[in-house]
Amino acid sequence: MKSATDEAYQLSVDINKIHEGLDIPSDDKFFIPSLFHSTVIEHHRSIILLIESKLYSSACTLMRPLFEAYVKGLWFSCCATEKDFEALRKDKFHKTFGSMVTEIDEKKESKLSVPKNNYWKTLNSFTHSGAALLGRKYNEDSITNNHDEELIKNLLDFSANYALLSGCEISFFSGNKVAIQASLNLASAKHGL
């Protein structure tokens, strides 16, 4: 698994290099979504480091907040009103995740509801210590890390895909054509996004 985590870590480094020195407009529609997208990129790197340390359950628990931060970044950039930004600043923003996904799909004509419908229950189970997480904590009669290679690959791929997408969003917000092209090239080369 070392080569897969090495490659994933290098991807994280590459995403961050593209953003070095970028200026993001201070307007809420750009700046606040950038905060969410930078959280996705940070969670991606954290997942890699946790996997390298064989802390697989902790890596699993970060999958939902990673996906959630990505969705919030999109929603706040394309759907939010000034009232929503004010509520967020006061930690009183309470729109449901499903509503945000639906509104993004309607506004952007996207299909974000597909990964939401396919993965949301499992992501919740990981984060809230449900069966998807606990079922991987034992082997026959002993408590252990029983996370198979396929799961680890899926964790790396899922987090990489959303880190790449978030990286593209941040580059778009900056308006920097070099960063935009570099992000698109990286996404295309690494995951065909």
Side-chain angles (χ1 to χ4, degrees), residues 18-82:
I18 292 169
H19 297 145
E20 286 177 6
L22 286 185
D23 289 323
I24 304 296
S26 61
D27 181 273
D28 283 348
K29 288 273 190 190
F30 300 105
F31 187 73
I32 289 179
S34 292
L35 297 176
F36 284 114
H37 289 300
S38 69
T39 299
V40 173
I41 294 165
E42 182 178 331
H43 284 337
H44 170 242
R45 185 172 289 190
S46 297
I47 289 165
I48 297 162
L49 296 173
L50 288 165
I51 288 170
E52 283 181 337
S53 299
K54 298 187 182 344
L55 299 170
Y56 304 120
S57 295
S58 295
C60 288
T61 63
L62 280 177
M63 299 304 285
R64 175 187 155 166
L66 177 144
F67 186 55
E68 204 167 5
Y70 174 74
V71 168
K72 286 181 176 179
L74 289 182
W75 191 87
F76 273 94
S77 68
C78 73
C79 300
T81 65
E82 185 54 40

Side-chain angles (χ1 to χ4, degrees), residues 65-155:
L66 177 144
F67 186 55
E68 204 167 5
Y70 174 74
V71 168
K72 286 181 176 179
L74 289 182
W75 191 87
F76 273 94
S77 68
C78 73
C79 300
T81 65
E82 185 54 40
K83 188 176 177 180
D84 296 314
F85 289 111
E86 288 173 25
L88 180 68
R89 281 188 195 87
K90 295 175 183 175
D91 208 15
K92 296 193 183 285
F93 178 76
H94 298 295
K95 185 168 283 290
T96 67
F97 188 75
S99 296
M100 285 188 283
V101 169
T102 299
E103 290 175 23
I104 292 165
D105 279 352
E106 289 170 359
K107 181 92 174 197
K108 296 177 79 74
E109 297 182 10
S110 62
K111 295 186 187 300
L112 194 55
S113 58
V114 173
K116 191 262 185 194
N117 292 337
N118 288 340
Y119 304 117
W120 191 242
K121 285 183 182 179
T122 301
L123 296 177
N124 281 312
S125 187
F126 282 158
T127 298
H128 299 296
S129 302
L133 183 73
L134 297 179
R136 292 174 169 89
K137 294 292 296 174
Y138 66 90
N139 188 2
E140 294 178 20
D141 62 349
S142 63
I143 296 174
T144 184
N145 279 324
N146 194 21
H147 299 79
D148 61 23
E149 294 290 321
E150 182 180 356
L151 173 70
I152 294 166
K153 180 185 181 315
N154 289 338
L155 294 174

